[in-house]
Amino acid sequence: MTNLRKTPLHSSYSTLSGVRCIDFGGWELPVQFSGIQKEHEAVRQHAGLFDVSHMGEFLVEGQEAETFLQQVTTNDVSQLEPGQAQYSLLCYPDGGVVDDLLVYYKGPERYMLVVNASNIDKDWDWLLRHAPASVHLENVSDAVALLALQGPEAARIAAAVTDTDITKLASFRFSEDVQLFGAKALVSRTGYTGEDGFEFYVPAANAPAVWDGLLRIGEPYGLVPAGLGARDTLRFEARLPLYGQELSATISPLEAGLGFFVKLNKGDFIGKAALQRQKEQGIPRKLIGLEMLDRGIPRAHYPVFAEGQQIGEVTTGTQSPTLKRNLGLALVDSRFSSLSTPLEVEIRGKRLRAEVVASPFYKRPR
């Protein structure tokens, strides 16, 4: 793994006993520290800290910044207030997804986009291709590190690490210039686990001090470092999509069940005509939750059958660490998307019984 990219935090954990790093889209990242099950349970019950510094950050500035973002994203940027973040998508003209992303409204004519690591170059090229000369774009991905603190104890830990009361932040709100272990951080109440939590955007050079400080102060609250394995099982239980599985160039936001984030009444944007047509004519495929009735674990790309014919495939599947049930998300023909519809999943050449069930599989207690 000598040619893989490393985050600014790599040296903070790469020599820890028990850590296992893997190639994740060209990055050397920890898949686990103490075990996926253990880390998953820590986030559900206490707190976990993730290095997600491989994510991409773009600054978008200028008088036409809002107009530009309205044209390239599916959500309604004009509804944002300063200090508010928004989940959105970039779409191709045919309605397929370039990427899903977060839009941060930093103030008049100033935005930050946070994109998936595997799509940084593609997204950057896409935005450059469509940006008018009056809009300034800057790729600051290499200068920014991102740490995610997630779990029911996240707020108590956050309250203990800075004098700014970031615990008052509502969901999808953020505060800038928060003093954090010698760094100025942008702190947002966002995450990718289905739990309460915060994400800390800090200068790359300050990342190790922030990582070490959070783990030290969070230890009495049960905070542990967590890897990509737990991040995936946590987001899966909460039905949060992963690009390349639940979303892709051939899967539209409407098929993925993300219609809430597609504002067809906001004016024109790239992909609108195709998505409008899809909605009017009927969405051909839908993302459903399924549970195995026979013994077997559904995995990505396993074929799904109903009435003797293949109707789709699994996008993500595992044995749920929280629920101890063999569950999956699958993109299937819409005719077979109703709850309790009998299905079969082909696992190692055998078709095993399953059925459509409600998702998200997990919702955090309020």
Side-chain angles (χ1 to χ4, degrees):
M1 295 197 290
T2 53
N3 296 323
L4 297 180
R5 298 188 66 188
K6 297 176 174 62
T7 77
L9 287 167
H10 184 268
S11 60
S12 297
Y13 52 67
S14 58
T15 58
L16 294 177
S17 63
V19 70
R20 184 161 72 86
C21 292
I22 61 168
D23 177 351
F24 183 79
W27 293 82
E28 184 176 336
L29 294 172
V31 68
Q32 65 179 50
F33 289 86
S34 55
I36 294 172
Q37 175 85 32
K38 197 171 183 180
E39 294 160 28
H40 181 109
E41 290 175 352
V43 175
R44 288 279 181 254
Q45 297 169 13
H46 304 290
L49 184 63
F50 299 84
D51 174 17
V52 280
S53 303
H54 56 302
M55 300 289 281
E57 293 85 17
F58 305 152
L59 300 180
V60 182
E61 299 177 342
Q63 287 186 347
E64 301 297 318
E66 180 185 308
T67 301
F68 166 61
L69 291 175
Q70 285 289 69
Q71 292 171 344
V72 295
T73 67
T74 62
N75 211 332
D76 191 350
V77 177
S78 71
Q79 298 301 304
L80 288 173
E81 302 172 353
Q84 186 176 11
Q86 180 186 77
Y87 179 76
S88 193
L89 302 106
L90 304 173
C91 280
Y92 293 106
D94 66 359
V97 177
V98 180
D99 201 5
D100 61 336
L101 72 161
L102 290 179
V103 179
Y104 285 76
Y105 184 31
K106 294 162 72 74
E109 303 177 8
R110 296 169 51 242
Y111 297 84
M112 181 175 74
L113 310 183
V114 182
V115 304
N116 286 300
S118 59
N119 291 334
I120 291 174
D121 292 341
K122 177 183 70 174
D123 292 353
W124 182 245
D125 291 342
W126 182 258
L127 293 169
L128 285 178
R129 191 187 317 169
H130 293 95
S134 59
V135 170
H136 174 71
L137 295 174
E138 184 178 359
N139 184 349
V140 295
S141 303
D142 291 340
V144 177
L146 175 56
L147 293 76
L149 173 66
Q150 300 284 293
E153 294 287 355
R156 293 177 68 194
I157 298 168
V161 298
T162 178
D163 291 336
T164 303
D165 191 358
I166 53 179
T167 63
K168 289 184 178 177
L169 288 173
S171 180
F172 278 78
R173 300 281 175 159
F174 66 92
S175 182
E176 295 193 78
D177 297 327
V178 175
Q179 288 293 332
L180 193 68
F181 302 106
K184 282 187 176 181
L186 184 155
V187 182
S188 63
R189 201 156 198 166
T190 50
Y192 191 54
T193 61
E195 296 294 340
D196 186 21
F198 300 84
E199 293 185 304
F200 302 93
Y201 297 85
V202 301
N206 297 96
V210 175
W211 173 268
D212 293 341
L214 284 168
L215 287 175
R216 182 180 69 255
I217 290 179
E219 186 178 8
Y221 300 94
L223 178 64
V224 301
L228 294 172
R231 184 171 162 86
D232 192 52
T233 54
L234 289 159
R235 71 91 195 164
F236 162 74
E237 289 183 344
R239 202 184 190 269
L240 299 172
L242 175 64
Y243 189 88
Q245 292 181 227
E246 285 73 39
L247 293 167
S248 74
T250 60
I251 303 172
S252 81
L254 302 184
E255 291 176 316
L258 299 172
F260 179 80
F261 307 102
V262 178
K263 306 303 185 186
L264 294 170
N265 60 351
K266 72 166 184 172
D268 197 25
F269 60 88
I270 299 172
K272 176 181 176 177
L275 294 170
Q276 184 84 56
R277 192 161 53 246
Q278 193 174 89
K279 186 174 182 178
E280 290 170 354
Q281 296 176 355
I283 301 168
R285 301 178 297 177
K286 288 186 179 178
L287 190 70
I288 54 100
L290 65 82
E291 180 171 5
M292 299 301 301
L293 301 179
D294 290 334
R295 285 188 64 183
I297 298 176
R299 302 290 188 189
H301 306 301
Y302 283 6
V304 179
F305 294 82
E307 298 180 359
Q309 61 179 321
Q310 184 174 350
I311 59 160
E313 68 175 30
V314 175
T315 59
T316 303
T318 190
Q319 183 181 72
S320 163
T322 302
L323 305 170
K324 313 303 183 189
R325 294 154 53 196
N326 294 342
L327 301 168
L329 295 171
L331 190 66
V332 303
D333 185 316
S334 294
R335 294 173 298 163
F336 301 95
S337 60
S338 299
L339 292 178
S340 302
T341 298
L343 304 173
E344 291 179 316
V345 179
E346 187 175 296
I347 301 177
R348 299 188 193 88
K350 293 183 178 180
R351 294 187 189 178
L352 304 180
R353 292 180 308 127
E355 68 175 0
V356 179
V357 296
S359 60
F361 308 114
Y362 169 86
K363 293 181 181 178
R364 73 179 165 101
R366 298 289 176 174

